[in-house]
Amino acid sequence: MRRRSWWGWGYDGEGLTDAQIDALGAALGERLGLDGRRRDPPPIDTIDLAPPRISVPATLRPFTSDDRRERVSHAYGKSYRDVVRALQGRIDHPPDLVARPRDEGELSSVLDWCAEHGVAVIPFGGGSSVVGGVEPDVGEAYPGAVTVDMGALDAVLEVDRLSQTGRVQGGVLGPALEDQLRPHGFTLRHFPQSFECSSLGGWIATRAGGHFATGPTHIDDLVESLRVLTPAGVVETRRLPSSGAGPSPDRLFVGSEGTLGVITEAWMRLRRRPRWRAGGAVRFVSFEDGAEAVRSLGQSGLSPSNCRLLDPVEALVNGAGDGSSAVLVVGFESADHPLDAWAARARELVSDHGGEVDEASWRARHTPAGRAGGDTGPEGDADAAEAWRSSFLRGPYIRDGLVRLGAMCETFETACTWDRLGVLHDAVTSAVRAALVDVGASRGFVTCRFTHAYPDGVAPYFTVVAPARPGTELEQWDGVKTAASEAVLAHGGTITHHHAVGRDHRPWYDRQRPDLFAAALRETKAVLDPAAICNPGVLVDVARRPLGSQGP
Ligand SMILES: Cc1cc2nc3c(=O)[nH]c(=O)nc-3n(C[C@H](O)[C@H](O)[C@H](O)COP(=O)(O)OP(=O)(O)OC[C@H]3O[C@@H](n4cnc5c(N)ncnc54)[C@H](O)[C@@H]3O)c2cc1C
């Protein structure tokens, strides 16, 4: 049985080996000024863990536990702040209990019990949040917190072949979802980098951004209808390909981050597995030229499935370039038709912007009918840039390796319209560099890539790697993150394009959203979650109503 790592990415034993971490240290240690020491995760039984404040109620006992490992491994998501604290054996806000409901009835009984006793409920899918979305930091007003792990609700329940849709339970993780869709010849083709350890419910709750770099990128576009258990009752939306009947009820819950209830099922729009692919890598002298090429592609209507631009350092770090040029990875895929015309036109467009096509990487591929085409996993269309793809998949493990070596290593992302891109990119990178100096990490660096492109704008994604000082890692990162977030907001970006708001982005999200919208959201929450038990601290704060009972 594979067991999920409690402190870092992925599964026990599948991260970097000690020898690989040492090799990483040898390659980067001097450049970054790392101390060469490897931080090992502490044994769970040595962690100083606050005792549970509530005991398991008899009604929830068959599927709820206060087991130490359960509590510790549901205490954090997977951000840099989370991994650093876990490696220090510091668990700030463990859930008191972890429930693993096996059906909606059991889930309902958790919500009822928590509402009755004023206990906070934290929905938990894959736990890959990088914004504090699953950390039970709910404040003193709550006598306790129950994390609801949705992992047992992991089935594809129905497939409608004619409409090409499937009814899927919210707790299913990416690989198990694709395994169940494969025999039907379908795929969701939603491959966030966290695909392996994130869930359908989590994707919907956070408006995750997936595989497609253009076109239907956010999970929003793939949701046909939803079933949500709220403390006030069930909300089930109608299955429709589209509807003009007022504001969309689906959209209320897409992005609700566990604050309005638990997404138990969704009808999802599926695709046939792609059989034709074409694409490759293109080099640009400057990132700016590459950005112009991406704009041109984004506005061309060609809709490439992959369109990732890496700045020169990002390309170097990912093994996709030598650091002298920006690299664009372009890919097309189709279940229906050859893509030669699309690829040829894309080559013309990128060439118009000074792009030099890397002929060795550029190719078209066709998987004959009946074979498992398109089954190469997340970002599998990027055949022509294998280095980028494998680095994308191994990235989270490498990040953990760097953190174990004492490096600050984190990403943040935004989106802005094309007219603001140049100023925003320069302001953000300058702010981060200045902040690195301020926090005593001047050897650090920041890189940028584009993860998603739209006709009217783009989603820049930044990576920061720097030496951290033992004991002040969180303060250092907070200094950098604050500077970056201020620059993003000041220059017309969003505080998040796909990482969600969680607890960490609240200060900027609160400033970004219109006040009246916030007021409407608060009223909505008051209706759906009258005891304000669902993921307190995330998205919106509401006054708590008096309880029928003062805690268990
Ligand atoms: C290495 C790495 C790479 C990443 N890459 C991407 C990426 O490419 N694209 C992207 O969009 N994000 C990415 N993320 C962020 C994260 O994976 C996404 O936010 C993802 O959608 C979270 O899914 P999850 O199942 O892990 O949710 P969790 O982390 O378990 O929960 C996230 C939020 O959703 C709520 N929630 C979870 N399940 C439910 C449910 N069933 N009903 C109601 N609320 C629920 C939680 O309460 C919480 O607020 C990445 C994260 C990491 C660590």
Side-chain angles (χ1 to χ4, degrees):
M1 279 289 284
R2 291 164 93 204
R3 190 164 71 167
R4 293 283 299 280
S5 164
W6 69 267
W7 64 270
W9 183 248
Y11 291 86
D12 283 346
E14 296 184 20
L16 301 193
T17 61
D18 288 351
Q20 286 170 325
I21 294 176
D22 292 342
L24 194 60
L28 276 175
E30 202 176 308
R31 157 81 176 78
L32 288 174
L34 302 178
D35 61 17
R37 191 167 60 83
R38 202 180 56 233
R39 284 94 178 137
D40 293 326
I44 286 196
D45 50 10
T46 64
I47 292 172
D48 185 14
L49 189 68
R53 292 164 294 176
I54 48 182
S55 40
V56 182
T59 47
L60 310 185
R61 191 160 294 138
F63 57 92
T64 304
S65 144
D66 61 2
D67 171 75
R68 167 173 275 263
R69 185 177 175 103
E70 279 286 83
R71 293 179 63 217
V72 167
S73 49
H74 289 85
Y76 290 135
K78 300 297 178 200
S79 69
Y80 170 67
R81 305 184 94 258
D82 298 334
V83 175
V84 165
R85 286 181 292 169
L87 284 174
Q88 292 171 351
R90 171 180 155 187
I91 306 293
D92 287 342
H93 306 100
D96 296 283
L97 308 178
V98 177
R100 293 178 178 267
R102 294 159 295 186
D103 54 40
E104 280 193 6
E106 291 184 344
L107 175 59
S108 208
S109 59
V110 178
L111 294 182
D112 289 349
W113 185 85
C114 289
E116 187 187 341
H117 298 288
V119 168
V121 176
I122 318 288
F124 188 105
S128 68
S129 170
V130 282
V131 292
V134 291
E135 181 172 350
D137 181 7
V138 298
E140 296 301 312
Y142 294 83
V146 177
T147 288
V148 178
D149 186 316
M150 292 291 289
L153 296 168
D154 66 347
V156 171
L157 300 170
E158 227 176 310
V159 169
D160 172 352
R161 295 193 69 78
L162 212 54
S163 314
Q164 216 166 283
T165 53
R167 181 160 72 97
V168 187
Q169 288 183 307
V172 70
L173 298 185
L177 169 62
E178 288 296 326
D179 285 349
Q180 293 175 75
L181 292 177
R182 198 170 294 114
H184 298 279
F186 290 131
T187 166
L188 182 63
R189 283 201 96 49
H190 182 74
F191 296 129
Q193 190 181 23
S194 54
F195 169 79
E196 202 185 356
C197 298
S198 57
S199 69
L200 177 71
W203 297 339
I204 296 172
T206 60
R207 302 186 67 186
H211 169 74
F212 291 99
T214 70
T217 59
H218 273 121
I219 195 79
D220 314 21
D221 303 309
L222 310 180
V223 173
E224 185 186 65
S225 77
L226 285 177
R227 184 174 164 87
V228 188
L229 238 63
T230 78
V234 175
V235 177
E236 186 162 356
T237 66
R238 187 175 281 243
R239 280 188 63 201
L240 291 167
S242 185
S243 169
S248 159
D250 294 321
R251 295 271 167 168
L252 180 63
F253 294 99
V254 177
S256 58
E257 300 193 26
T259 62
L260 301 180
V262 184
I263 298 159
T264 56
E265 286 178 18
W267 274 95
M268 301 300 296
R269 302 190 170 109
L270 307 175
R271 294 168 177 267
R272 284 183 288 138
R273 311 188 84 77
R275 292 170 48 213
W276 281 270
R277 297 151 177 279
V282 186
R283 299 190 193 288
F284 293 89
V285 172
S286 73
F287 191 60
E288 291 72 19
D289 288 346
E292 276 302 291
V294 171
R295 185 171 67 81
S296 184
L297 283 169
Q299 295 175 343
S300 66
L302 289 172
S303 207
S305 53
N306 203 357
C307 187
R308 261 89 180 177
L309 178 68
L310 319 182
D311 77 13
V313 179
E314 178 101 8
L316 175 70
V317 171
N318 285 285
D322 61 6
S324 65
S325 50
V327 174
L328 174 64
V329 180
V330 192
F332 294 89
E333 61 176 48
S334 170
D336 182 71
H337 47 258
L339 295 155
D340 309 69
W342 280 257
R345 179 64 187 135
R347 287 171 60 117
E348 281 175 7
L349 284 176
V350 295
S351 300
D352 288 349
H353 294 283
E356 191 192 318
V357 172
D358 175 359
E359 295 295 348
S361 73
W362 203 276
R363 70 183 97 120
R365 198 156 63 87
H366 173 220
T367 310
R371 292 251 304 277
D375 228 9
T376 48
E379 300 301 306
D381 60 331
D383 275 5
E386 272 303 327
W388 151 249
R389 177 173 167 251
S390 60
S391 136
F392 180 80
L393 294 175
R394 289 298 287 168
Y397 289 113
I398 294 170
R399 194 278 304 264
D400 285 356
L402 281 167
V403 178
R404 286 183 63 187
L405 287 165
M408 172 197 299
C409 185
E410 185 56 300
T411 62
F412 63 91
E413 35 78 67
T414 181
C416 65
T417 47
W418 285 112
D419 61 316
R420 292 173 155 143
L421 174 66
V423 174
L424 180 137
H425 175 267
D426 292 350
V428 170
T429 47
S430 309
V432 169
R433 284 185 193 126
L436 284 171
V437 173
D438 286 350
V439 302
S442 53
R443 289 202 197 193
F445 59 88
V446 53
T447 63
C448 182
R449 65 183 191 237
F450 292 168
T451 56
H452 299 86
Y454 304 89
D456 54 340
V458 68
Y461 180 103
F462 298 89
T463 301
V464 180
V465 183
R469 243 190 336 268
T472 62
E473 295 94 339
L474 300 187
E475 291 76 10
Q476 287 180 294
W477 170 245
D478 288 347
V480 174
K481 173 74 179 175
T482 298
S485 303
E486 290 297 328
V488 160
L489 235 56
H491 295 282
T494 170
I495 191 59
T496 175
H497 169 264
H498 58 263
H499 278 173
V501 175
R503 292 176 175 80
D504 297 356
H505 283 151
R506 273 299 296 282
W508 297 279
Y509 172 66
D510 285 1
R511 281 157 54 193
Q512 173 179 331
R513 71 180 166 193
D515 290 342
L516 271 178
F517 177 74
L521 195 55
R522 272 192 289 274
E523 290 305 312
T524 304
K525 183 166 167 79
V527 170
L528 297 173
D529 178 22
I533 54 169
C534 291
N535 221 355
V538 169
L539 282 190
V540 71
D541 296 323
V542 290
R544 300 203 64 201
R545 310 237 161 129
L547 292 176
S549 140
Q550 285 309 312

